[in-house]
Amino acid sequence: MLKNPSKIEISHLAKTFGSKVVLRDISLSIPAGQSLCIIGTSGCGKSVTLKCLLGLIAPDSGSIKIDGKETVSQSRTHREEMLRRFGMTFQFGALFDSLPIWQNITFRLRQNTYMSRQKAREAAADIVVHLGLEARVIDQYPAELSGGMQKRVALARAIADKPEILLFDEPTSGLDPITGGVIDNLILNSVRRLGATALTISHDMASVRRIADQVAMIHKGRVIWSGPSTQMFDSGIAEVEQFVHGHAQGPLTDEAILAAKTGV
Amino acid sequence: MILGLIRNIGQASLSFMAAVGKISLFTFAAVRWSVAPPFYGHQLGRQILDIGFFSLPVVGLTTLFSGMVLALQSYTGFARFSAEDTVATVVVLSVTRELGPVLAGLMVAGRIGASMAAEIGTMRVTDQIDALDTLSTRPMQYLVAPRLVAGTLCLPLLVLIGDIIGVLGGYLVGVYQLNFNPSLYLSRTLQYLEFSDITLGLVKAAVFGFLIALMGCYHGYHSGRGAEGVGVATTNAVVSSSILILIANYLVTALFFG
Ligand SMILES: Nc1ncnc2c1ncn2[C@@H]1O[C@H](COP(=O)(O)OP(=O)(O)OP(=O)(O)O)[C@@H](O)[C@H]1O
Ligand SMILES: [Mg+2]
C-alpha cells in the first residue's frame, strides 16, 4: 500500500443538477503510474466525474484527493497550481476556434513559460508529426480539420507540457481503428515512459483492453464494478457483462425501455 | 386566483433579484480581473479593431442620416415661429448630447453585443471556456476583460466621429436643401456649443460601451446548453444592453443636469 499510494482518490462523490441526480456515490482510486478506464452507458455521468476532478463542476458532497491532498473547495491559487499538473482532452475537442493549431497545442506552454514563436511552432510540429498528422496542419484552424484530426490535436494539446496526470474523455471515439490504435499507444507511452497517471473515459472495448490497468463501470450514479482489466469479461455482474460484450439484450436495455415507457 | 397572482409576482421578483445579484458579482469579478495582470494585449487589440474600427460604417451611416433628418424636422418646426436660424444649434446639441451616443450605442449593442454573446456562448457550450481554465488561463481575464476595456474605450471614440458626421449631415441638408449660408451655419453650430455638451456625450458613450460588453460577456458566459442556448444568450444580450442603454442614458443626463 505504501509502495504505491493513490495518485487520485475519489470518495463518495455526489452531484445533482436541479432535480436530476447524476452522481450518487462514486468512489475510485488510481495508484500513481496506473491507467484507469471508466466505462458506462451514455449519460451516466462519466464526463461530470471528470469535470469534478478538474474543479469545473463543484460536487454536492464527497472528496477528491490528489496526492493525498483534498481538492474539493480548495482556494483558487491551489487549484491553479494543481491544474498545471493535469493534461486533458474534452469529449468534443474544445479546441480554440480562433487560434491556429500550433497556438492551440502550445497554449499552456506559452502561458507558463516564455517561448519564442519559432520554438513553439517547432514543438507543435514535432507533436503533430508524432501523432501521425502532417506538419503543415499547425498553420490551419480547428474548423479546417476533420473530426479525427481535431481529436489528435486535442490530445497533442493535453500532452504538450508532459503533465503527470492525464484525463481523456473519449479520446478514440469517432476515429478509424488505426488512428485509434496510434492514440492508445500514445496514452500507454505517456503512462509507461513518463510515469503519468491516466484516467480515460471510453466506450471502445478494444481500446479499453489495450490501455487500462484497471476498469471501473459507472451505473446509476455508482461504481458497480471495478477491477483489473483482465477480469472485466468475467465480473459476474449482469450489467457489466452486457456492456463489455455489447449485447443488445440485458438489464441495461430493459431499464431504458422501462424508463421510456413510464417516463421516469 | 389572487394567491396565484401574488405567487407569480413573488417568483418573478425573486428571480429578478437573483439575476441582479449574479450580474453584480459578474461585474465585480470582471472589473477586478481587468485591472490585474496578466494582460492579453493581442486579445485587446482584436477587440478594439472589431468594436472601434468595424463599427465605423454602421455608426457613421446612422448619425449621418439622423443629422440630416434632424435638420429638416427642426426647420419645419422652428419655421412656424420664424426661428429658422436655430436649426444649426439644435442639430449640434441634439447630436452631441443625445442622438450620437444613444444611436451609436444601440447600433453597437446590436452588432457587438450579439457577436460577443454568440462567440463566448459558443465557447461555453463547446467546453472551450473549461479548456481555457484548465490551461492556466482565467477566462475572465482572457475573454471578458479585453472586451470590457475595448468597449469602454472605443465607444467614446466612435461617438466622437459619429458626432462630426451627424453635424455634417445637418450641414449638408441646411446648406444644400434649406439654403442656409454655409459660414453662417457653421458659426451657429459652434456658437452655443459648450465643451460640457461633448463630454456629456462621451461619458454616456463610455458607460454604454461598458454595458454592451458586460451584457454580451455575461449572457455568453452563462449561456444555456446547445445551439439553442447560444441563440437565447445572443437575444438576451442585445435586448438587455439596449434597455440598459436607455436607462443609463436618462440617469447620466439627470446626473449632469443643472
Ligand atoms: N452542466 C450541466 N447542467 C445540467 N445537467 C448536466 C450538466 N452536465 C451534465 N449534465 C447531465 O448529467 C448527465 C450526465 O452527463 P455526462 O456528460 O457526464 O454523461 P456521460 O456519462 O459523459 O455520457 P456520454 O457517454 O454520452 O458522454 C446527463 O444527463 C446530462 O444531461
Ligand atoms: Mg461524456
Side-chain angles (χ1 to χ4, degrees):
Chain A
M1 188 74 208
L2 273 176
K3 258 189 233 151
N4 212 353
S6 289
K7 188 81 177 172
I8 302 174
E9 176 99 48
I10 299 175
S11 29
H12 309 300
L13 203 65
K15 178 69 190 175
T16 301
F17 290 106
S19 60
K20 183 165 188 186
V21 184
V22 177
L23 306 180
R24 280 171 209 278
D25 183 359
I26 300 283
S27 297
L28 286 171
S29 148
I30 314 175
Q34 292 236 343
S35 162
L36 174 94
C37 274
I38 296 185
I39 57 176
T41 47
S42 201
C44 72
K46 304 180 296 293
S47 300
V48 169
T49 308
L50 215 72
K51 288 188 176 177
C52 287
L53 202 53
L54 291 164
L56 293 168
I57 292 178
D60 300 332
S61 63
S63 117
I64 300 172
K65 288 187 176 141
I66 309 285
D67 284 330
K69 237 181 85 202
E70 181 59 52
T71 65
V72 174
S73 59
Q74 62 188 339
S75 74
R76 204 192 62 245
T77 359
H78 281 135
R79 174 163 178 266
E80 284 170 0
E81 248 163 49
M82 172 193 93
L83 285 175
R84 288 186 188 196
R85 299 156 56 200
F86 280 80
M88 72 136 359
T89 64
F90 290 84
Q91 187 167 356
F92 302 105
L95 294 173
F96 304 127
D97 296 325
S98 58
L99 301 178
I101 299 306
W102 72 272
Q103 285 191 27
N104 260 287
I105 294 178
T106 55
F107 194 85
R108 181 157 68 184
L109 275 172
R110 301 206 318 152
Q111 280 316 313
N112 289 334
T113 50
Y114 172 77
M115 194 177 206
S116 72
R117 238 180 121 82
Q118 187 57 35
K119 267 253 162 64
R121 290 173 50 90
E122 279 167 14
D126 271 357
I127 302 176
V128 295
V129 168
H130 195 72
L131 288 177
L133 294 170
E134 287 171 55
R136 65 182 169 79
V137 303
I138 62 166
D139 289 315
Q140 291 182 298
Y141 283 82
E144 297 165 344
L145 304 185
S146 76
M149 290 160 95
Q150 291 183 17
K151 283 240 129 133
R152 282 184 270 180
V153 171
L155 203 79
R157 183 173 71 179
I159 59 169
D161 53 356
K162 304 194 173 54
E164 46 185 287
I165 300 172
L166 296 166
L167 308 177
F168 300 123
D169 199 342
E170 304 194 11
T172 54
S173 69
L175 295 181
D176 64 84
I178 299 165
T179 315
V182 170
I183 289 195
D184 286 341
N185 281 337
L186 198 112
I187 295 172
L188 273 181
N189 264 340
S190 310
V191 176
R192 304 267 182 274
R193 276 226 305 270
L194 306 174
T197 307
L199 194 166
T200 311
I201 293 173
S202 185
H203 287 300
D204 175 356
M205 295 320 291
S207 153
V208 170
R209 241 186 314 185
R210 273 198 294 265
I211 62 173
D213 299 312
Q214 301 279 324
V215 176
M217 175 152 170
I218 297 183
H219 182 56
K220 289 188 169 170
R222 292 194 166 83
V223 178
I224 55 165
W225 183 80
S226 68
S229 58
T230 45
Q231 288 170 19
M232 73 177 160
F233 289 97
D234 31 41
S235 61
I237 298 176
E239 283 88 352
V240 182
E241 305 256 303
Q242 189 197 348
F243 191 91
V244 296
H245 291 112
H247 294 316
Q249 253 121 47
L252 297 173
T253 19
D254 296 346
E255 276 157 25
I257 293 166
L258 196 67
K261 268 192 191 145
T262 55
V264 274
Chain B
M1 228 281 286
I2 292 185
L3 267 181
L5 188 70
I6 293 175
R7 186 162 55 230
N8 283 344
I9 293 175
Q11 264 165 5
S13 36
L14 273 185
S15 57
F16 177 75
M17 292 313 285
V20 169
K22 246 172 96 180
I23 292 175
S24 312
L25 285 179
F26 185 85
T27 311
F28 182 76
V31 171
R32 170 172 177 240
W33 288 119
S34 297
V35 295
F39 303 105
Y40 297 96
H42 186 262
Q43 293 292 315
L44 181 63
R46 209 189 113 207
Q47 292 306 322
I48 288 181
L49 199 67
D50 202 22
I51 304 174
F53 188 71
F54 291 115
S55 298
L56 271 177
V58 184
V59 171
L61 280 175
T62 316
T63 46
L64 177 72
F65 283 101
S66 304
M68 287 165 68
V69 84
L70 200 61
L72 280 183
Q73 293 284 32
S74 50
Y75 183 84
T76 317
F78 288 114
R80 292 189 187 158
F81 39 95
S82 323
E84 297 92 333
D85 27 331
T86 52
V87 166
T89 313
V90 168
V91 167
V92 71
L93 290 190
S94 318
V95 167
T96 52
R97 292 179 65 96
E98 195 61 40
L99 287 182
V102 171
L103 289 178
L106 291 177
M107 296 313 279
V108 174
R111 214 184 87 81
I112 297 298
S115 83
M116 280 184 185
E119 192 181 349
I120 296 183
T122 304
M123 292 187 73
R124 166 61 73 200
V125 301
T126 56
D127 284 341
Q128 291 180 55
I129 293 189
D130 285 347
L132 263 186
D133 191 56
T134 58
L135 294 171
S136 297
T137 306
R138 298 184 192 107
M140 277 286 180
Q141 278 182 312
Y142 188 81
L143 294 176
V144 179
R147 286 172 170 78
L148 276 189
V149 173
T152 314
L153 291 181
C154 287
L155 253 242
L157 285 175
L158 271 176
V159 165
L160 200 60
I161 296 169
D163 285 350
I164 295 169
I165 296 176
V167 170
L168 178 75
Y171 172 87
L172 292 178
V173 167
V175 171
Y176 293 103
Q177 195 172 350
L178 305 173
N179 297 317
F180 279 100
N181 175 308
S183 59
L184 191 67
Y185 188 96
L186 272 185
S187 72
R188 289 277 166 159
T189 296
L190 298 174
Q191 195 174 1
Y192 296 105
L193 181 68
E194 285 172 16
F195 195 61
S196 64
D197 298 324
I198 297 173
T199 34
L200 172 68
L202 298 188
V203 168
K204 282 182 176 180
V207 173
F208 298 168
F210 179 83
L211 289 174
I212 293 168
L214 184 71
M215 286 298 108
C217 293
Y218 174 81
H219 289 287
Y221 205 81
H222 294 103
S223 165
R225 309 169 85 204
E228 199 189 326
V230 178
V232 172
T234 309
T235 313
N236 285 347
V238 176
V239 172
S240 61
S241 54
S242 304
I243 292 176
L244 283 178
I245 283 175
L246 296 175
I247 297 175
N249 181 45
Y250 171 75
L251 292 179
V252 176
T253 312
L255 200 71
F256 278 69
F257 189 76

